[in-house]
Amino acid sequence: MNEKLIDELKRQGSFESEEESQKRIEVLNKLQALAEEFVRSVSIQKNMSELMARDAGGKIFTFGSYRLGVYGPGSDIDTLVVVPKHVTRENFFDVFEKLLRKRPELEEIACVPDAFVPIIKIKFSSISVDLICARLDIPQIPLSLTLDDKNLLRNLDEKDLRALNGTRVTDEILRLVPQAIVFKHALRAIKLWAQRRAIYSNVMGFPGGVAWAMLVARICQLYPNAISATIISKFFNILNKWSWPQPVMLKAIEDGPLQVRVWNPKLYPADRAHRMPIITPAYPSMCATHNISASTQKVIMSELKRGASLMDEIMIGKRPWADLFIKHDFFLRYKYYLAVYASSKGTAEQQLKWSGLVESRLRQLVLKLEWIDSIELAHPFVKEFDQVHYCADEDEAKRVADGEQIATASTKEADLVKTVKAEEKEHGGKVTSNGDAENKVVDGTTAKKLVVYTTTFFIGLEINLDRMMESLHFSIIEFVSELGCMILTYALARHKQLDIQWPCKEFYEMCRTWPEYDEDINCICVRNIRKYRAYCPLSVVNVSTDQS
Ligand SMILES: Nc1ncnc2c1ncn2[C@@H]1O[C@H](COP(=O)(O)OP(=O)(O)OP(=O)(O)O)[C@@H](O)[C@H]1O
Ligand SMILES: [Mg+2]
Ligand SMILES: [Mg+2]
């Protein structure tokens, strides 16, 4: 079974070649040398002797999929540069950046010093590397340094603490699993499964990479002698029956030297609200899954159930491993969808920021939709879809930004079909046209010069008609938002409509409180879309907006 699993993972392109892995090691060796050069040159600038400057050291650590040993051909290397106390974050974005720019291997570089975790993203010898920096309150960083001592966290600022957390958590997970190789293969399989089933995305309310890693690690702890195939089978069986919100932990939660919050449901009501808590093992312990909502929990649980029943058959040879990794059917599953359009009449960079902001608020819309009695499930899709529109004049640009052009009755379904097809074509990757804005024309001709960027997010809705019939307070409401966006109503029967104006209005307001929001540039709009009928052999229940 285990051999067949590895073969299937290979067939699915999970592993990269030995040659490519060797290239990653070479890149990391060069980055280690650059980190030392960086610390040395800052030390000399600060009047240290050549000897002291060399002894100041500097060391790189990795985290993310590379450190966990579950990286594939497209993975980046998440790298932490640890520096002594006399080297600052400003130096990282000045001195270290200049050192990088001097290297002939450098192909791309983007610095984001004001991010939540300040970061330099580079492409070096064709490999993507995310570089973050942490300054410790010690004068020297020797190559023998490890980050497991929590006293190293003393006197650090929040950004340094956050930067260190990734490596500390990953190191601790690896330390706590009985057999690293068993864990790594099992995690590769679970990651692939979660990606294919579209339940891998922290920002959308599903577990992210670290949370899935901790779940697999916990199963490895429970079955220290098992091989990967068995771990996967137990993973589904145990988690399918797990009595949430009992937390998944790899070790007891530790106290520590800082005045920071450690996850504690007895003390904090917010922690009590976590539905599927998965707790990070390194001090200060946090819940890696605080984004999970009632809806995403239901989706995750139904996928675990599917996995458990498939695994029962896979383990006795009745089915191949490939069946576990069959793609999700999100765009076929629901009768009703909401499409959330975030658009900018500006630059691609402005759109990236705006769509990122809208994406980060989307969970709030899901939570508010869940409040509505007749909405059984509001299922956010894990990926967004980007488009570039070329418009002839301001009027057309406004219509596109308001979603009118995209979501007129005739094109709404076409939009969903486009999405389904793009999804089918491009399994894992993001469907984006931002990269080649010059060549791609979505609406109109190249003569149309005004550019509007749109990013669309989808939420599948499961609606309980019985509950609707009972709820007398629902009335037919036509709601025109301040942005001129359209009516947010669902006709579910001749005289019944589902009013979602309250969640949408709150969501709009939440997005528009963004300090950089500019009403001449940014637009946000929610529209309803019905499933494309060609994909639905059974006829859709005979209730549509047109009939009402
Ligand atoms: N937006 C973010 N906010 C906070 N932490 C993040 C964010 N993005 C990434 N991280 C941290 O960086 C780690 C690595 O992220 P990354 O996106 O590179 O995924 P990965 O698990 O390494 O998978 P891949 O193989 O695709 O690189 C995450 O586990 C998380 O700790
Ligand atoms: Mg990564
Ligand atoms: Mg990364």
Side-chain angles (χ1 to χ4, degrees):
M1 287 311 301
N2 214 57
E3 270 168 31
K4 281 187 185 156
L5 166 69
I6 310 283
D7 285 348
E8 184 58 31
L9 289 174
K10 282 184 185 156
R11 212 179 58 79
Q12 303 261 6
S14 171
F15 298 93
E16 69 174 15
S17 68
E18 191 56 44
E19 218 171 77
E20 288 293 311
S21 293
Q22 195 53 43
K23 207 162 111 193
R24 286 179 191 267
I25 294 171
E26 281 161 26
V27 167
L28 283 168
N29 286 338
K30 286 180 185 170
L31 290 174
Q32 172 60 38
L34 273 177
E36 288 172 49
E37 197 180 334
F38 161 47
V39 171
R40 195 181 60 83
S41 91
V42 173
S43 305
I44 288 189
Q45 270 178 27
K46 300 206 170 157
N47 296 325
M48 286 186 174
S49 68
E50 179 66 31
L51 198 65
M52 277 174 78
R54 277 194 190 284
D55 285 347
K59 181 174 176 184
I60 60 162
F61 295 83
T62 56
F63 60 103
S65 65
Y66 183 77
R67 176 73 181 111
L68 284 170
V70 294
Y71 56 98
S75 292
D76 62 357
I77 309 180
D78 301 289
T79 310
L80 165 71
V81 181
V82 176
V83 296
K85 65 177 173 187
H86 60 276
V87 180
T88 65
R89 200 176 300 119
E90 288 68 40
N91 295 146
F92 180 67
F93 285 100
D94 175 19
V95 180
F96 190 61
E97 193 217 313
K98 286 204 181 97
L99 285 174
L100 286 169
R101 284 189 191 273
K102 274 194 211 151
R103 301 296 307 204
E105 300 93 335
L106 188 81
E107 290 156 25
E108 285 170 27
I109 181 161
C111 300
V112 199
D114 53 356
F116 191 59
V117 180
I119 189 167
I120 300 180
K121 288 171 136 339
I122 58 169
K123 203 167 225 181
F124 197 93
S125 302
S126 306
I127 294 172
S128 302
V129 184
D130 282 354
L131 289 155
I132 60 174
C133 180
R135 175 173 84 143
L136 297 184
D137 189 29
I138 49 177
Q140 294 178 346
I141 307 292
L143 269 180
S144 59
L145 181 88
T146 58
L147 299 175
D148 47 332
D149 180 2
K150 55 193 170 195
N151 289 309
L152 287 172
L153 305 180
R154 287 179 195 273
N155 308 320
L156 305 189
D157 76 9
E158 297 242 317
K159 287 185 172 160
D160 287 323
L161 286 176
R162 277 198 289 269
L164 286 167
N165 192 52
T167 299
R168 281 174 45 80
V169 169
T170 325
D171 285 359
E172 196 65 359
I173 294 172
L174 288 170
R175 208 179 58 78
L176 289 165
V177 295
Q179 300 186 70
I181 190 73
V182 170
F183 165 73
K184 288 172 186 181
H185 285 154
L187 180 55
R188 265 181 199 274
I190 294 303
K191 269 185 76 153
L192 182 63
W193 162 78
Q195 281 159 347
R196 288 286 160 79
R197 305 304 299 170
I199 50 170
Y200 185 110
S201 167
N202 182 39
V203 62
M204 291 299 186
F206 295 98
V210 179
W212 288 119
M214 289 190 285
L215 287 176
V216 175
R218 183 72 194 109
I219 307 298
C220 290
Q221 286 182 324
L222 294 173
Y223 298 90
N225 299 315
I227 51 160
S228 305
T230 312
I231 294 294
I232 296 166
S233 163
K234 298 289 182 194
F235 173 94
F236 287 109
N237 275 304
I238 290 178
L239 293 173
N240 186 32
K241 293 185 209 126
W242 195 267
S243 52
W244 304 105
Q246 183 186 310
V248 172
M249 298 193 289
L250 300 179
K251 66 174 202 192
I253 294 175
E254 281 177 34
D255 270 340
L258 308 182
Q259 295 290 318
V260 293
R261 235 176 93 161
V262 171
W263 189 77
N264 188 342
K266 287 195 186 121
L267 220 57
Y268 308 112
D271 294 352
R272 255 193 314 277
H274 294 147
R275 293 169 175 277
M276 304 177 79
I278 303 170
I279 310 303
T280 57
Y283 173 82
S285 281
M286 287 175 267
C287 177
T289 42
H290 64 271
N291 284 351
I292 291 178
S293 71
S295 293
T296 56
Q297 180 175 18
K298 264 192 221 165
V299 175
I300 298 162
M301 290 316 293
S302 90
E303 287 299 339
L304 286 170
K305 193 169 164 201
R306 170 189 173 272
S309 80
L310 276 176
M311 278 313 296
D312 287 346
E313 295 187 71
I314 291 171
M315 290 305 273
I316 55 168
K318 256 178 91 178
R319 273 174 181 274
W321 279 105
D323 285 8
L324 186 65
F325 307 119
I326 291 172
K327 208 188 118 204
H328 66 86
D329 61 352
F330 177 85
F331 291 103
L332 311 176
R333 197 184 301 173
Y334 301 102
K335 212 179 295 170
Y336 299 97
Y337 294 85
L338 290 183
V340 177
Y341 299 95
S343 47
S344 297
K345 282 182 276 179
T347 61
E349 200 176 321
Q350 280 170 321
Q351 172 65 1
L352 200 64
K353 278 191 177 175
W354 173 234
S355 63
L357 183 277
V358 172
E359 180 183 41
S360 71
R361 300 285 192 275
L362 205 72
R363 282 187 321 105
Q364 301 301 327
L365 175 61
V366 168
L367 290 177
K368 289 181 198 320
L369 288 168
E370 285 173 351
W371 270 88
I372 295 178
D373 234 12
S374 43
I375 295 184
E376 296 271 283
L377 189 82
H379 177 175
F381 188 60
V382 288
K383 277 189 296 178
E384 70 279 19
F385 299 88
D386 296 332
Q387 284 186 305
V388 189
H389 307 261
Y390 292 85
C391 307
D393 51 32
E394 276 293 335
D395 251 20
E396 191 183 341
K398 186 175 181 329
R399 282 201 307 279
V400 169
D402 282 353
E404 276 178 38
Q405 198 118 331
I406 327 165
T408 53
S410 59
T411 59
K412 269 193 286 184
E413 276 197 359
D415 216 36
L416 199 57
V417 178
K418 242 187 334 203
T419 308
V420 172
K421 292 200 168 142
E423 256 285 294
E424 278 170 356
K425 219 167 67 191
E426 209 173 315
H427 246 307
K430 195 156 99 179
V431 184
T432 171
S433 48
N434 275 358
D436 53 3
E438 295 314 313
N439 309 324
K440 186 135 185 186
V441 179
V442 173
D443 281 338
T445 66
T446 37
K448 295 182 169 185
K449 283 288 179 241
L450 252 173
V451 185
V452 176
Y453 296 89
T454 62
T455 301
T456 314
F457 303 92
F458 290 94
I459 300 173
L461 292 182
E462 210 173 276
I463 292 161
N464 186 331
L465 282 170
D466 293 343
R467 287 233 189 122
M468 262 213 67
M469 300 302 180
E470 284 161 18
S471 47
L472 296 170
H473 60 274
F474 278 116
S475 56
I476 300 172
I477 289 176
E478 292 206 342
F479 170 61
V480 180
S481 85
E482 288 160 53
L483 286 174
C485 298
M486 232 193 56
I487 308 156
L488 297 162
T489 53
Y490 272 99
L492 291 166
R494 248 164 224 285
H495 53 286
K496 296 284 178 194
Q497 290 192 321
L498 170 60
D499 169 14
I500 54 166
Q501 70 159 313
W502 169 75
C504 292
K505 192 165 181 251
E506 296 248 317
F507 172 65
Y508 290 156
E509 275 163 18
M510 217 181 286
C511 293
R512 278 184 274 140
T513 52
W514 183 46
E516 289 176 49
Y517 175 78
D518 178 342
E519 62 178 7
D520 293 331
I521 293 173
N522 311 115
C523 188
I524 172 86
C525 165
V526 181
R527 293 184 180 269
N528 59 324
I529 291 183
R530 296 199 38 199
K531 186 165 61 185
Y532 178 49
R533 282 155 217 234
Y535 277 85
C536 174
L538 300 168
S539 66
V540 177
V541 180
N542 196 14
V543 284
S544 76
T545 325
D546 316 326
Q547 285 173 357
S548 74

